[in-house]
Amino acid sequence: MIVENSLLRSNSMSELRVRFAPSPTGYLHVGGARTALFNWLFARKEGGTFILRIEDTDVERSTKESLDAILEGMKWLGLEWDEGPFYQSDSFPLYKEYVQKLLDAGKAYKCYCTAEKLDAKRTLAMQEGRKPKYDGTCRERGVLPDGRPYVVRFRAPQNGVTSFDDLIKGTITFPNEELDDLIIQRTDGTPTYNFCVVIDDATMRITTVIRGDDHVNNTPRQVQLYEALGFPVPQFAHVPMILGTDKARLSKRHGATSVIAYRDMGFLPEALINYLVRLGWSHGDDEIFSRDEMIQKFDIHNVGRSASVFNTEKLLWLNAHYIKNGDPERLAALLLPHLSSREVTTLGGPNLVAVVKTLQERAQTLEEMAGRAVFYYNTPVSYDDAALAKFDKEQLLAVFAAVTAKLSSVPANDAAGIDALFKEVCSENGWKMGQVGQPVRIALSGGTQAPGIGEIVVTLGVEETVRRIQKAQEFVSAK
RNA sequence: GUCCCCUUCGUCUAGCCUGGCCCAGGACACCGCCCUUUCACGGCGGCGACACCGGUUCAAAUCCGGUAGGGGACGCCA
């Protein structure tokens, strides 16, 4: 029975297992988000399992705030994980066990060199132009009497090469002389990163390690550890870095890098995801991908080998695209926080969904949309003087009077109907649309950048429209 | 310094594995025109790249070698 079940299971689910393993020492940044996305996509595409693991072995720098920020970012982007989050700090005894195993097998040894001494040697080596690797002082020294602090080092092979086939970069080979005996356990008994990843990836049965480019140099050491421990070596896929405009590694000084910051700036998660997936990965000339299309078309082999520059302009374009084509109801809900941060309340004002509809083609971000929506809820307290100055006083007053009269006498309930009324006003008085539309627009919104007249009037309502025109009328005649 | 990786329009990229269809295609941005009551949307067009040098070949963005440039790593950080 059990056998049958597992067979059934392996038919629907592949054995493929991937993980995203951030360390909780900061927020989720766009680079990490893209790595997570590629992992997620790979798992979804192949019917595998996506695991979230928190690498918090650095007790000093790991914080709860960072952890929450990462989780929040993942959820906002919709990168749901199948297992975890697992915490490395929960597995300290396990790591210890494996360290002991290596020690017993003579594949690791205790090193009594002090951090200060090592630092000095490292600096000296760098200065002399040598590779700053461990000189192996304790490699053959044997165990010293109790009480002296020590770290545990992995006894790495000194000859030959270590290589692996990277799914993105191809075969990568390192001469073993380049690799030194890395520390796997600190003086305080805690395990180090390179050791933990190997144990975790092995015990979690990770089949494919997809991670940032900056880890390629760690990979040969990890491969050696897998081999020393007798674990199968997983496949590796190293995705290139994301750079700033100056081609240097993306960092805070290039502007926002936090996923949550993009949310707060009014970006839609589907826009960021779409942008990120195209950074490094492509499917022919396609630019717009829904989640399902992404999953369907994703192939790790189509990830490029070179680093890419983060370009906000294109992100903006994608965001505008998704706003334009988005569901107004949803957008309205997402817009609310951007409105309240401007102290705008929609209470008693026009229907927000209707407002959103008039703004969808006019905003690149929700922030921008909120800015453009303000006039609907706050009657203009001043008018664009330069725009108003293009018309003389008499003309303005005549237009305002004619429009108010028309609006009050003839009912119209959609934008097209309202526009028709304005055309009537024009033809009845021999005016051009520009002479009528613009003054009214200014009266209603305070400025010239606004949706179509018909759209504004309909969403504002005729009553409020007339009220605003009369207010403008008073303003103009008082001049 | 040493090792590893990378190099097509300003940017993201297609093409490269399986040379000729590529005097290199798409997208963002930019410029111009059209549409238009403003702002936008949209449509059309333009600008613009195979890092460099050699080699192989009838033929190279595509294969080989070198050079230059960029990035990454070299922690008792991850």
Side-chain angles (χ1 to χ4, degrees):
Chain A
M1 216 36 183
I2 293 165
V3 174
E4 269 177 18
N5 266 335
S6 68
L7 275 177
L8 222 72
R9 193 179 160 78
S10 67
N11 278 338
S12 54
M13 295 273 287
S14 77
E15 291 309 305
L16 186 142
R17 292 167 67 81
V18 296
R19 84 315 194 262
F20 175 54
S23 65
T25 52
Y27 47 72
L28 178 65
H29 56 91
V30 290
R34 189 185 56 161
T35 304
L37 173 63
F38 285 178
N39 272 288
W40 180 83
L41 247 17
F42 193 58
R44 291 292 172 272
K45 170 70 185 280
E46 311 292 339
T49 307
F50 177 47
I51 298 160
L52 179 62
R53 184 174 75 219
I54 306 300
E55 313 232 311
D56 57 352
T57 50
D58 185 348
V59 189
E60 295 288 302
R61 298 199 304 152
S62 299
T63 67
K64 178 80 168 63
E65 291 69 48
S66 294
L67 174 65
D68 291 342
I70 290 167
L71 262 28
E72 190 184 6
M74 296 279 288
K75 284 177 189 157
W76 181 65
L77 289 173
L79 301 176
E80 69 278 3
W81 51 93
D82 305 308
E83 291 180 17
F86 297 116
Y87 300 87
Q88 288 192 321
S89 53
D90 289 340
S91 307
F92 278 13
L94 179 73
Y95 304 135
K96 206 119 200 190
E97 202 178 296
Y98 280 104
V99 169
Q100 193 52 242
K101 222 174 237 181
L102 248 25
L103 237 21
D104 293 345
K107 290 177 176 173
Y109 60 91
K110 293 179 179 178
C111 169
Y112 302 89
C113 298
T114 62
E116 298 72 45
K117 202 151 204 166
L118 292 171
D119 277 344
K121 282 182 181 176
R122 194 160 29 235
T123 327
L124 184 68
M126 286 276 235
Q127 275 168 0
E128 291 178 356
R130 287 179 293 126
K131 180 101 182 166
K133 61 178 220 176
Y134 179 58
D135 63 1
T137 304
C138 297
R139 193 176 161 104
E140 309 300 340
R141 176 138 78 180
V143 178
L144 258 49
D146 284 347
R148 290 193 51 177
Y150 63 88
V151 299
V152 177
R153 281 185 189 271
F154 174 59
R155 194 186 299 276
Q158 293 179 301
N159 305 307
V161 297
T162 300
S163 62
F164 57 95
D165 295 318
D166 194 279
L167 256 25
I168 294 171
K169 295 180 180 276
T171 304
I172 299 178
T173 305
F174 286 81
N176 286 156
E177 307 123 62
E178 290 300 323
L179 281 15
D180 60 0
D181 292 349
L182 84 163
I183 293 173
I184 58 177
Q185 189 180 85
R186 302 184 183 98
T187 309
D188 64 3
T190 58
T192 58
Y193 165 75
N194 276 112
F195 188 69
C196 298
V197 252
V198 171
I199 302 299
D200 283 335
D201 287 337
T203 56
M204 291 177 185
R205 305 188 326 279
I206 300 299
T207 55
T208 313
V209 173
I210 303 173
R211 78 225 305 191
D213 217 349
D214 46 340
H215 286 285
V216 289
N217 295 278
N218 289 326
T219 309
R221 302 171 183 286
Q222 292 171 12
V223 168
Q224 291 175 349
L225 282 170
Y226 279 104
E227 286 166 351
L229 259 4
F231 292 136
V233 180
Q235 287 195 295
F236 294 98
H238 288 97
V239 322
M241 305 269 86
I242 297 179
L243 312 176
T245 326
D246 58 356
K247 304 259 187 175
R249 188 183 186 144
L250 193 67
S251 68
K252 290 116 256 170
R253 65 193 172 79
H254 293 107
T257 56
S258 154
V259 162
I260 292 303
Y262 281 94
R263 179 196 66 188
D264 295 343
M265 286 187 286
F267 286 89
L268 263 19
E270 60 268 37
L272 222 208
I273 286 280
N274 197 149
Y275 178 71
L276 255 18
V277 82
R278 278 288 289 107
L279 210 54
W281 175 79
S282 61
H283 182 271
D285 288 337
D286 299 351
E287 295 288 352
I288 307 288
F289 299 90
S290 68
R291 263 178 204 255
D292 287 345
E293 286 168 339
M294 257 180 233
I295 292 169
Q296 188 186 46
K297 293 173 174 171
F298 187 75
D299 182 344
I300 193 87
H301 296 101
N302 287 129
V303 174
R305 291 165 301 278
S306 54
S308 33
V309 174
F310 193 89
N311 180 211
T312 314
E313 297 294 326
K314 189 155 185 182
L315 208 208
L316 238 18
W317 171 73
L318 279 164
N319 205 50
H321 168 85
Y322 283 105
I323 286 179
K324 221 178 301 164
N325 299 97
D327 169 38
E329 304 261 355
R330 171 181 173 242
L331 292 174
L334 294 175
L335 189 63
L336 245 23
H338 295 92
L339 249 20
S340 38
S341 71
R342 283 158 210 268
E343 284 163 23
V344 170
T345 169
T346 58
L347 238 64
N351 176 271
L352 187 56
V353 176
V355 167
V356 165
K357 284 180 182 166
T358 70
L359 263 16
Q360 277 180 283
E361 292 197 336
R362 298 177 163 82
Q364 290 193 296
T365 65
L366 293 174
E367 260 298 286
E368 187 186 347
M369 186 183 271
R372 287 174 178 267
V374 170
F375 84 86
Y376 279 112
Y377 299 100
N378 296 348
T379 305
V381 289
S382 64
Y383 302 98
D384 184 334
D385 287 332
L388 226 40
K390 289 183 181 155
F391 308 92
D392 53 49
K393 190 171 174 177
E394 290 68 41
Q395 167 73 9
L396 286 174
L397 293 175
V399 165
F400 288 154
V403 169
T404 335
K406 175 68 76 178
L407 247 25
S408 315
S409 58
V410 186
N413 46 19
D414 63 358
I418 303 285
D419 283 335
L421 291 189
F422 274 79
K423 291 221 170 71
E424 278 177 39
V425 171
C426 284
S427 58
E428 284 164 11
N429 296 281
W431 291 330
K432 289 207 155 97
M433 198 45 151
Q435 295 172 277
V436 180
Q438 201 65 332
V440 173
R441 189 188 322 282
I442 297 166
L444 300 182
S445 73
T448 61
Q449 299 186 14
I453 285 291
E455 292 177 282
I456 301 180
V457 174
V458 161
T459 62
L460 224 40
V462 171
E463 202 181 315
E464 172 66 9
T465 299
V466 170
R467 201 175 300 139
R468 290 191 184 188
I469 293 177
Q470 280 166 349
K471 199 183 165 201
Q473 217 164 359
E474 286 160 24
F475 175 82
V476 171
S477 40
K479 277 183 94 171

